[in-house]
Amino acid sequence: MSAPCPCGSGKALSDCCGRFVFGGEAAPDPEALMRSRYSAYALGAETYLLESWSARQRPRRIFEPGETPVQWVGLEILGTSLAKKGHRGTVTFRATGRDDEGLFVLQEKSRFERHEGRWVYVDGETAVERLPGLPEAPQS
């Protein structure tokens, strides 16, 4: 059995986001694409992140050389919507991560479009909240 999927579905990576990130399958809807992009961030799969980003907004790179990667520790889907014609959709989510400054929560309303038969990430409205650090263990 493969490792659990980072997106928190409870499924094995190979049966969940791995088939999109590493297997070449197209995500069937905006939520599946958003979950697979979260998993790709957690796994450092830059190629998939760039390929699943709209060419209009796509950055040149995701991870900078020498950059300490964020450790993603949780994902919660807050809501999804799909336009009537099925070519645009949104996913609102909350992702918890840890970086050099400590724990934080990223909340985003992501926008997606179908382009040449595949869903792509366009952009999102984000807010970041820093969480207080965990208390230190008592000294004995």
Side-chain angles (χ1 to χ4, degrees), residues 50-65:
L50 292 170
E51 289 173 351
S52 62
W53 206 312
S54 169
R56 294 189 322 266
Q57 263 80 347
R58 182 185 307 139
R60 292 188 59 206
R61 67 179 331 132
I62 305 291
F63 306 111
E64 294 299 324

Side-chain angles (χ1 to χ4, degrees), residues 8-134:
S9 67
K11 298 178 184 177
L13 175 62
S14 60
D15 295 330
C16 194
C17 296
R19 54 195 193 150
F20 310 126
V21 176
F22 304 112
E25 279 187 51
D29 55 51
E31 182 178 343
L33 181 61
M34 198 287 314
R35 286 179 172 279
S36 68
R37 286 178 55 80
Y38 171 87
S39 294
Y41 273 104
L43 298 167
E46 183 173 50
T47 300
Y48 178 76
L49 290 166
L50 292 170
E51 289 173 351
S52 62
W53 206 312
S54 169
R56 294 189 322 266
Q57 263 80 347
R58 182 185 307 139
R60 292 188 59 206
R61 67 179 331 132
I62 305 291
F63 306 111
E64 294 299 324
E67 173 185 16
T68 303
V70 169
Q71 177 188 8
W72 293 102
V73 296
L75 174 66
E76 178 185 3
I77 304 298
L78 303 175
T80 63
S81 69
L82 193 59
K84 288 183 181 181
K85 294 186 179 186
H87 297 292
R88 291 195 171 103
T90 63
V91 178
T92 303
F93 68 92
R94 183 179 298 132
T96 304
R98 182 186 325 269
D99 62 12
D100 291 338
E101 298 177 38
L103 285 173
F104 66 93
V105 174
L106 166 73
Q107 185 163 319
E108 180 171 323
K109 181 176 183 179
S110 300
R111 288 182 280 275
F112 300 88
E113 293 178 350
R114 281 183 71 81
H115 181 72
E116 297 179 359
R118 295 179 79 93
W119 285 102
V120 293
Y121 172 77
V122 177
D123 60 15
E125 299 168 16
T126 62
V128 177
E129 176 188 358
R130 286 279 165 193
L131 300 177
L134 299 175

